[in-house]
Amino acid sequence: MLSRKCEYNYQIPNSNVELPAGMRVIIPIYGLHHDPNYYPDPARFNPERFTKENKRTRHPYTYLPFGEGPRNCIGMRFALLQIKMGIISFLRDHRIKICDKSTVPIKFSRRSLVTTNEAGFWLTITPSSYN
Ligand code: HEM
């Protein structure tokens, strides 16, 4: 979730809702990223959603993993680079599969502040030379 403070009274377009100045507004990122209006069949792994052409069809604020605007994540480029390097170097030597203990779909923990699986993440990892 992102949090913002309304700087001035703002009428939400096409509605009778007005946000008063000073009100805290919570932006539900997970809800946006799983809204089938923007991401059909949202639980399906589908990298094609993020081709240049498909991204162009959506409002940019429907995808907010690093926030947006002047206070967005300052570490975004570093994080993306590090994640890509980590995944590439891991997948070079390993294969990952779901196993009997994997929870599909994920059941989110209600006790955690961050989004995590109730039962942990169980996977079978094998050295790629075994395949
Ligand atoms: C996958 C990794 C990361 C994710 C998903 C992430 C996500 C976010 C999000 C959603 C925000 C709030 C942006 C907003 O309110 O619009 C944020 C802020 C911030 N992030 Fe990250 N972040 C990541 C990694 C990092 C790293 C690696 C650093 C530093 C090396 C970093 C430093 C910061 C800082 C300093 C802010 C506050 C920026 C401000 O308030 O002006 N983040 N991040």
Side-chain angles (χ1 to χ4, degrees):
M1 286 192 278
L2 291 181
S3 159
R4 293 291 189 268
K5 194 166 117 188
C6 202
E7 287 285 300
Y8 47 85
N9 294 351
Y10 178 72
Q11 177 86 35
I12 296 183
N14 308 319
S15 82
N16 55 6
V17 178
E18 186 180 274
L19 307 178
M23 178 181 254
R24 286 250 158 232
V25 180
I26 301 293
I27 298 150
I29 304 181
Y30 182 88
L32 278 172
H33 291 182
H34 289 78
D35 185 332
N37 290 321
Y38 305 121
Y39 301 98
D41 198 2
R44 190 164 67 90
F45 175 65
N46 176 13
E48 298 298 312
R49 300 182 204 276
F50 299 97
T51 60
K52 273 194 186 126
E53 298 71 37
N54 286 338
K55 280 201 283 190
R56 235 179 271 132
T57 64
R58 287 189 297 265
H59 191 288
Y61 284 13
T62 57
Y63 190 60
L64 301 169
F66 293 97
E68 194 47 79
R71 299 300 298 267
N72 76 343
C73 178
I74 200 170
M76 176 177 73
R77 285 175 188 81
F78 176 61
L80 286 172
L81 185 71
Q82 205 175 33
I83 291 166
K84 285 173 193 169
M85 291 302 294
I87 291 174
I88 289 165
S89 62
F90 191 76
L91 289 181
R92 236 182 1 207
D93 303 324
H94 301 85
R95 291 293 169 266
I96 305 172
K97 286 182 187 159
I98 56 169
C99 60
D100 293 345
K101 282 176 84 172
S102 311
T103 325
V104 184
I106 284 176
K107 194 173 167 226
F108 288 116
S109 168
R110 291 184 182 168
R111 281 165 298 179
S112 171
L113 266 182
V114 293
T115 44
T116 191
N117 194 20
E118 183 91 294
F121 292 96
W122 292 90
L123 297 164
T124 299
I125 298 173
T126 46
S128 54
S129 54
Y130 280 32
N131 287 327

